[in-house]
Structure formats: C-alpha cells, structure tokens
Amino acid sequence: MATLTALAASDLRATMVAYRDALRDHQQAINRLNVYPVPDGDTGTNMALTLEAVVAELDGLGDGAGLAEVAKAVGHGSLMGARGNSGVILSQLLRGLADRCGKVDRVGPEELADGLRTAARLAELAIVRPVEGTILTVARAAGDGAAGCAAGTDLVRVAEAARAAAADALDHTPELLEALARAGVVDAGGAGYLLLLDALLAVLDGRPLPPAPPVDASAPAGPALVDLAGGHGAHGGAGDLRYEVMYLLHAPDDTIPAFKEVWAGVGDSIVVVGGDGLWNCHIHTNDIGAAVEAALDAGRPRDIRVTDLAEQVEEERWVREGAGVAVDEPAGPPPATGVVAVVTGEGIGRIFRSLGVHHLVRGGQSMNPSTAQILEAVDALGSDQVIVLPNNKNIRPVAEQVDALTDKTVRVVPTRSIVQGFAALLAYDPAADVAANEAAMAASADRVLSAEVTQAVRDSDTDAGPVHAGDWIGLSRDGVVAVGGSPSGAAMALLERLLQPQHELVTVIEGEGATAAGTRRVTEWLRDHHPDVAAEVHHGGQPLYPYLLGIE
C-alpha cells in the first residue's frame, strides 16, 4: 500500500479498528503483566472493552462522516464505554488525540504530534495523584518523541519516533515502580498503549500488527500474585483500599473540582474524565457510600459499578474462562415464574439447577456480569415472569436494571451470597406468580446468616486481631471475625463466633482449598460443641473460598 502523508476520517476510523483488533489479540498477555494487589488485574480486557465501545460508536456513523464526526465518536465512545482504571485513562488519551485531530480536515505531522502530547497532558490532569512508571509515563514519552521530530518531516517518521520513545519508556517502567521491578515485568497499561502506535503505523504504511506472545490460557497469571501483602497500585492506589467504584456522572463542569476534592479524602486511584456535563468517574475506596454520595452533591450518577478488588485473582479467572449463560430449559410448558441465578463454580451450578434454576449466569465477586448478560438469560427463559438471584451485593444494582429492558416482569430477590440463594430457592414455587415468589424467597433468604473463609492477601489489623498475608480468615457481615492456620481452623473459629442457641442448621459449601479431612474436622467439631445443630455439606467448587457457610 502507498504510505499516507496525512490522516483522513477513514484513516482515523481504521486506526481505531486496528487498535481494537490488536488489544483483542494481546489482552491475555497484557492481563498477565499485572502485579498489583488492588488495581485492575484485567488491564488488557478493560482496554479491549473500551475500544469495543469506540468501534461500536464508529459503526453508527455513515460512510461519509468527516474527521470532526469521527473524532467526536471516538471521544464519546471511549467515555461511555471505559472499563476499569486503565480503560478510563485510555479514554482520556483517545479523547485528547481525537479532539486535536477533529479540529482539522486532514491530520499532518504537526497535528499528530500535538495530538499525542495533548492526550498525555489531559490524561495526567484527569488523575488526582499521578504515578510514574505507568501508562502516563509511556504516553508522555510518545508525545515528546513525536514533537521532537514533527517539524519538516513526514507522518510516518513522527509515528515511528513516538513509538520508539514510548517503547523505551515502557522498558524503563520497572526502574520507576518498585512492584514492576520485583515482578520482572513492564507496566500493563503502557504495553497496551504502545499497541495504539502499532495500529497507527499499520494504517500509515501497511505494517503488520505485532503478534501476541504465547500465553497458557489454563494457567493463572503468576505476576498478578506478586506482593499481595501490600504496596501501591499502578496509578497510586493504596493496597488497603478494597473497592473499585465507577459511574457516569451528569454534573455541571464547575462542580467537578469540588467533587475531586471530596473524593481525594475518600480514596485513591482517582480518575475523572469527561466534560460538557458528562463525566466518567473512577476511585478505589473503602467507603462505597461516601464515593456515591459525593456524586449526589454534584449531580446525578448512573451506571454505578462496584468491584471488590480483593478478588482480582478470581476476576482474572473469569476473564480467562469467559463468562456466559448456561441454559437448561425444562421439558414441557414453562413455569409461571422462572429463575435466573448468578453463580461461580460448577458444583454450585449443579446445586442451583437441582433446586429449580434453569438459567445460570456465570459471574462472581469481581467479575460482575453485565446487564446484557442477565437480560440474555431472562429473555431466553420461556416464562413471562422471572426472579433473578444476584447472590452478591455488587451484582444487585446491575440485575435491577433488567426489568426496564424487557417486556417480561422481572423481580430481583436481593441475595448477598450463594447460601442465601440456596435458601431463597427452598421457597421457590414455579406455579406461583412473581410477586408471591419474590416475597417468599426474600423472607427465606433473610433467615440465613452468611459467612465465608478465604485467605488474607496482606497484613492487617482486624477486630479478630492481627492478620498476616497467608492466614486463613473468617468473614461475616461485620468483616473479619476469625483467624485460623488452616481453612478448617478458620471455619471452626468462625462458627464459634457466629452460632447462637436458636440456630439449627449449618450449610457448608466446599470450594477450592477444602479437603475431605478438613471438612470432617468441621462437622465433628459441630457435633461435639453444638450437638443440636445439623450440618449439611455440598461441593461447590468455587475459587478462593474453601468454605461458604450458611447458618439458620
């Protein structure tokens, strides 16, 4: 192909499509570069999903759209579709580049260089506490490299200079961020951004996109487990901040500085991008309520997403295996009320099916399924009335959007855990209408006290005493309430803390890390110390949680 001397609207569109394709190809390799215990463990996936939104926005344009229209679509699509910390930062980079390109009829060397520098500057301004050794460092180097040769040269040389400078900066990110050096990897976001320049060169003179390095899709990401005892995240997030909160905020532009000041006192890894009354907001925090309330003071939030960052390893697994909808439609006429449940673990799925659920949506604590996935399951069900069991507090807000998107009547029973989902299904009556099922199932779920055993990923002081990375901890609604040297030890300590005279049954769901001997110790302890409490054991196969417990 002939080498381009300027970028037209179709070339900018082609660059975004090529970048989307490159991120798709490289997303698992980029995911495995993550080393942080708190920020996104799925950088490659979040960046790829952000570009999917950009390309979808571009697909809505006519073939004759001009550069200004294409640039606007890139900016809007990236703002609306940004996923995770990395996706929000990438959206600002794309918007900065696109805005500069949209101001001319054709993009030449100087406009490209100015666009890359503008993108880096805007991204850095969007972050409350920028950190070196991240995508920001790589983007700044790209802009500086392009600007250094823009005058009197051609477009390809500018892109080459930007890529060379970005690649050099990426190679040096471990020198700027200690966690990268310890893991022996470069910054994941920076690696993803470098592919944008590869995509640009592919459009400019036909260079092939770089092939993705081989990745063992069945193996967990080793670097993602590095330094789980503490440290700081890719964009300055402190290691003890548990939740990622994201939402779109409709608010006047002049309210945003005060909004950022409030957020600065609530958490870290703060990124706020947008303008003209619409903002994409991202924070890591321990106070979900305060993070959302700040938006109510400024304007109107929507599409609120909350992720438990302590479960990034589980999220990486769901990304690796792929979330989806499992369908097991019964023979004969559909029930008056059908049930859709969100589950993790094959054993748990089998139990839910045995209790009358015919549509399962794969998802969990940190890989929250989308509204579209839950809607797909609802629409596939033959019943006109549907109960949804989210089985997680973070998934409930997404599930509650489904009713407005379908002609069916959908009600969400707000189950916060798998064991509450089990309890709700014990009251399920396929022949009853949705209102009767909603009331009965919610009442049944409320009678269950949920608890779980998992492994601490960092040192911490808790109400149960000091916890060290690697300890087994028992969690209830009150947080960490028990500590043990083994999964079964933590389970027994947890039950000792939670069981009351009125309790009659403990449901034990074994996950990965549980052993037959360990479970036997738990049930024998129950028999010896609480002889009036029955034990019911199921194999769930869920990751990260050797034991899920339900007490009623």
Side-chain angles (χ1 to χ4, degrees):
M1 63 170 285
T3 299
L4 298 180
T5 58
L7 278 177
S10 59
D11 304 317
L12 180 58
R13 187 196 295 248
T15 299
M16 293 299 113
V17 173
Y19 188 28
R20 186 272 314 270
D21 294 343
L23 285 171
R24 277 177 172 173
D25 194 30
H26 287 253
Q27 75 177 51
Q28 295 301 341
I30 294 172
N31 284 346
R32 281 158 175 74
L33 292 176
N34 284 277
V35 299
Y36 304 103
V38 171
D40 312 307
D42 56 352
T43 296
T45 300
N46 281 337
M47 295 179 86
L49 289 172
T50 301
L51 262 293
E52 292 283 2
V54 171
V55 173
E57 189 85 11
L58 290 170
D59 287 344
L61 297 179
D63 292 338
L67 195 51
E69 291 176 275
V70 170
K72 183 177 180 181
V74 170
H76 187 261
S78 64
L79 177 68
M80 299 296 290
R83 299 289 191 98
N85 204 351
S86 53
V88 175
I89 295 172
L90 178 60
S91 76
Q92 188 75 340
L93 290 165
L94 293 177
R95 292 179 71 239
L97 176 61
D99 286 350
R100 182 63 184 88
C101 293
K103 290 181 168 61
V104 294
D105 294 328
R106 293 173 69 82
V107 178
E110 293 188 6
E111 289 82 13
L112 176 59
D114 188 35
L116 290 171
R117 293 194 76 179
T118 299
R121 185 168 58 251
L122 290 179
E124 193 160 334
L125 289 173
I127 299 174
V128 173
R129 300 182 185 94
V131 172
E132 292 300 326
T134 68
I135 188 174
L136 299 178
T137 305
V138 176
R140 188 190 318 119
D144 290 345
C149 75
T153 189
D154 58 50
L155 202 59
V156 170
R157 285 203 177 99
V158 171
E160 287 177 334
R163 193 199 182 283
D168 183 66
L170 180 63
D171 287 342
H172 286 85
T173 52
E175 300 170 15
L176 301 173
L177 213 49
E178 184 183 354
L180 294 173
R182 287 198 296 271
V185 297
V186 296
D187 178 67
Y193 184 70
L194 192 63
L195 290 172
L196 170 61
L197 304 172
D198 289 319
L200 178 60
L201 284 165
V203 171
L204 289 177
D205 69 352
R207 301 183 193 190
L209 292 170
V215 173
D216 182 357
S218 66
L225 303 179
V226 172
D227 192 29
L228 293 185
H232 291 272
H235 309 291
D240 60 352
L241 298 177
R242 177 158 185 171
Y243 299 100
E244 176 187 65
V245 179
M246 290 187 66
Y247 48 72
L248 293 173
L249 174 61
H250 293 275
D253 293 7
D254 59 5
T255 66
I256 298 304
F259 170 77
K260 287 183 178 180
E261 287 185 14
V262 173
W263 259 22
V266 172
D268 215 321
S269 286
I270 297 167
V271 189
V272 180
V273 303
D276 297 325
L278 180 61
W279 304 84
N280 195 319
C281 307
H282 174 285
I283 188 174
H284 292 160
T285 183
N286 285 330
D287 194 339
I288 299 170
V292 176
E293 288 169 5
L296 298 174
D297 291 336
R300 179 173 58 87
R302 67 179 177 88
D303 296 346
I304 299 171
R305 298 196 299 271
V306 179
T307 298
D308 188 335
L309 294 168
E311 309 307 332
Q312 285 298 329
V313 176
E314 181 181 8
E315 177 167 353
E316 194 276 338
R317 167 177 295 188
W318 282 107
V319 171
R320 188 168 72 248
E321 295 177 350
V325 176
V327 179
D328 186 19
E329 192 73 53
T337 300
V339 180
V340 170
V342 181
V343 302
T344 174
E346 291 302 320
I348 289 174
R350 287 192 295 270
I351 298 169
F352 270 84
R353 287 192 183 97
S354 73
L355 292 172
V357 176
H358 304 111
H359 285 60
L360 304 176
V361 179
R362 294 175 63 192
Q365 176 64 25
S366 61
M367 187 55 185
N368 299 166
S370 67
T371 300
Q373 287 172 308
I374 300 176
L375 177 62
E376 177 189 352
V378 167
D379 284 343
L381 195 63
S383 305
D384 291 329
Q385 301 179 84
V386 181
I387 292 289
V388 176
L389 301 176
N391 300 325
N392 187 288
K393 65 180 184 301
N394 295 339
I395 299 173
R396 176 182 174 183
V398 173
E400 288 177 339
Q401 298 181 53
V402 173
D403 182 57
L405 301 175
T406 179
D407 292 334
K408 299 185 178 186
T409 301
V410 180
R411 295 292 180 266
V412 177
V413 174
T415 49
R416 297 166 57 93
S417 66
I418 292 295
V419 289
Q420 280 198 327
F422 285 164
L425 287 167
L426 295 177
Y428 168 51
D429 180 357
D433 64 22
V434 71
N437 270 302
E438 179 185 19
M441 294 171 74
S444 183
D446 283 344
R447 288 193 289 270
V448 175
L449 176 61
S450 302
E452 56 204 23
V453 172
T454 190
Q455 195 165 30
V457 298
R458 60 179 61 84
D459 294 349
S460 180
D461 290 324
T462 73
D463 290 342
V467 170
H468 302 288
D471 286 348
W472 294 97
I473 53 176
L475 305 172
S476 74
R477 290 182 181 178
D478 297 325
V480 178
V481 298
V483 183
S486 65
S488 59
M492 290 182 286
L494 183 59
L495 290 169
E496 178 65 28
R497 175 71 180 271
L498 298 179
L499 280 170
Q500 300 295 322
Q502 71 270 21
H503 291 139
E504 300 175 347
L505 174 66
V506 171
T507 302
V508 180
I509 305 173
E510 297 176 307
E512 293 181 6
T515 65
T519 302
R520 187 168 58 252
R521 282 194 291 272
V522 174
T523 56
E524 289 177 353
W525 178 90
L526 268 174
R527 185 187 59 200
D528 293 342
H529 292 81
H530 297 272
D532 295 330
V533 176
E536 187 175 289
V537 178
H538 301 278
H539 179 71
Q542 68 275 2
L544 291 181
Y545 293 91
Y547 294 108
L548 300 177
L549 304 174
I551 303 172
E552 51 189 306

